[in-house]
Each structure stands twice: as C-alpha cells, then as structure tokens.
Amino acid sequence: MSSSKVALVTGGNKGIGFAIVRAMCKDFAGDVYLTARDVGRGTAAVDSLRKEGLAPLFHRLDITDPDSVRSARDFFTEKYGGLDVLVNNAGIAFKMADTTPFGIQAEVTLKTNFFATRDMCNVFLPIIKPGGRMVNVSSVMGSVALSRCSPELQARFRSDDITEEELDGLMERFVRDAQEGVHAERGWPSTAYGVSKTGLTTLTRILARNLTKERPGDDILCNACCPGWVRTDMAGPNATKSPDEGAVTPVYLALLSPGAKEPHGQFVSEKKVQPW
C-alpha cells in the first residue's frame, strides 16, 4: 500500500476540472488523479499535463454509474488506504438556447449534478482520511435559484436541521413538478442547473454538519464553492475568467492548511465565505 497522500478530481479531462488537476499537481504533496468517464479523453488530458512537466495519474470514473463509483472507492482504499482530497467537479448544463423540454432538462441535470454527486460523497466520505478535504464545485447560480424559490422552500434549504432524506425528497419533487409543468406555481425557479446547485450547496452543509457530529476529532473540512464565470465548453467564450483562474477557490479549499477548523460547511467564492 502506498503511503503517499492522494487527491481525486472528478470531471478532470477539460475545463475547470482540468485546471484544478494542473494546480493540484503543482501544489499538493502527493498523487493527483484526474478522473473522467471517457478513457480516451482522460488519458489525452493526462498526457497533455505530462508535457507540461506535471505527473497526474488517470483513473476512469463515471459518477452516474454506481459500479464505477464503488470500483474507484475500492481502488483508492486498496492502494492508499483511503483518500485525502476529493474534488467533486463533474457537472453538466443545458445551453440557454436548448429546446429540450424543461422536465427532461430537470431530470438529466439533477441526475448528475445532484444525485450522482451525492452518491460520490456518500460512497467516498467513509474513506476520507483524518485531516482530509472535500470540495463540491457548486455555483452562484445555486444562490440565485435559492433566492427565487418560495419562502417555504428557502426556509428548508437554509435550515440547520434539514436532513439528506428531506433534501433528496425536495430534489425529487422539483423534477416531478418540472415534468408535470407545475414547478413555477409550486414555488420553484425555471432553472434546472440553478436548482441542482442549490441542492449541492445544501447537501454540502448537511454533510459538514454530519462530519462534525460523527467524526469530531478527524478535522475533515467539507465545503462548496463557486469557481466564477469561466471560459469553458459549459459557459462559453465570453466568460470573464480563464479555467486556471476558476480553479483558484476550489484548490484553496482542497489545500486548507492542516489543523484548520474553517471554513467548514460553507459556500465559498473568491476564497471568501458567502452568505447562504
């Protein structure tokens, strides 16, 4: 078993994920795994970073496939005895001009951005080592979507006693309401991406609360962040930040110094804790 520290980044073959891997290779004292669902694209991304003199490793991981997630967990458990840093970056978004029916957009977007990321967290959290860091790449769009929810929904997403089960139920309800075309009258905003990130930030707060309760001495810090508006396939060419600039806050949270107590369970943007 390797005694190296180890970090895993999901959705690492392009965009912000790729830039996070690049920065981690420079600043993290340990092995850095670029993961992606497509082996060809993932290994090509690793090769291009190796040409820069960096040394990332590749592991195939499709976060929407439970077998792939479990198999990755087993790999890191057997090879490293767990994981020191997990950056959940993989995500999807429909383009504004996409004419796919909103109910389908809601189902597809939440499947990856919320439910699959939740499964990653739940499968990997038990193997996160003491002093470990978990970072969920969320979005300010989740905060915007939250502000456009009904007061009742806002109160639940912001509450300090919401459970993962209740949150799952709310996310399932959004998909159902969207499919039935009644989401607006039931207090939801018309953004599947935004709601998926409202869910992810809320999930992060719940997981952090559970860690504090269940593993109080382990000093694991778990946070959500917004990378900003970044020039990627997702956001398009007019965005204001380069991918490397977008990686700054996620990497800051991934590398919070040993013994740090905060931030924990926070939504962070430009390296600053934001109100939720």
Side-chain angles (χ1 to χ4, degrees), residues 26-189:
K26 294 173 182 173
D27 297 338
F28 176 71
D31 292 345
V32 180
Y33 279 81
L34 182 157
T35 72
R37 60 188 170 180
D38 183 285
V39 174
R41 288 198 291 258
T43 49
V46 161
D47 290 343
S48 82
L49 288 172
R50 287 192 176 151
K51 289 195 181 88
E52 295 178 23
L54 303 172
L57 298 155
F58 178 72
H59 196 86
R60 184 184 174 273
L61 173 58
D62 177 353
I63 70 164
T64 63
D65 174 0
D67 289 335
S68 176
V69 171
R70 281 193 296 267
S71 138
R73 173 203 58 197
D74 294 345
F75 168 81
F76 287 100
T77 305
E78 284 155 25
K79 187 162 167 57
Y80 296 92
L83 196 60
D84 297 285
V85 176
L86 172 59
V87 181
N88 285 309
N89 163 78
I92 62 160
F94 285 84
K95 301 291 181 204
M96 291 299 283
D98 198 302
T99 54
T100 305
F102 187 68
I104 294 171
Q105 291 197 25
E107 183 178 5
V108 171
T109 304
L110 267 72
K111 180 185 178 202
T112 293
N113 293 6
F114 179 76
F115 291 106
T117 307
R118 174 206 65 186
D119 292 343
M120 271 298 296
C121 293
N122 287 333
V123 170
F124 275 88
L125 258 181
I127 70 156
I128 300 272
K129 296 181 180 183
R133 307 286 181 250
M134 188 164 88
V135 183
N136 290 329
V137 179
S138 188
S139 169
V140 70
M141 298 312 294
S143 307
V144 172
L146 173 66
S147 70
R148 293 181 184 160
C149 287
S150 68
E152 295 76 21
L153 285 169
Q154 288 190 42
R156 291 321 297 149
F157 287 128
R158 289 196 171 106
S159 86
D160 290 328
D161 62 1
I162 185 173
T163 61
E164 196 181 313
E165 292 70 28
E166 183 186 353
L167 177 60
D168 286 352
L170 287 171
M171 293 291 106
E172 283 161 6
R173 197 169 95 201
F174 168 68
V175 172
R176 214 164 42 238
D177 288 348
Q179 287 169 335
E180 290 167 17
V182 296
H183 61 280
E185 66 203 64
R186 300 222 171 130
W188 298 103

Side-chain angles (χ1 to χ4, degrees), residues 125 128-133 211 215 218-222 264:
L125 258 181
I128 300 272
K129 296 181 180 183
R133 307 286 181 250
L211 277 168
R215 297 178 64 178
D218 280 359
D219 284 348
I220 296 168
L221 298 178
C222 168
H264 180 52

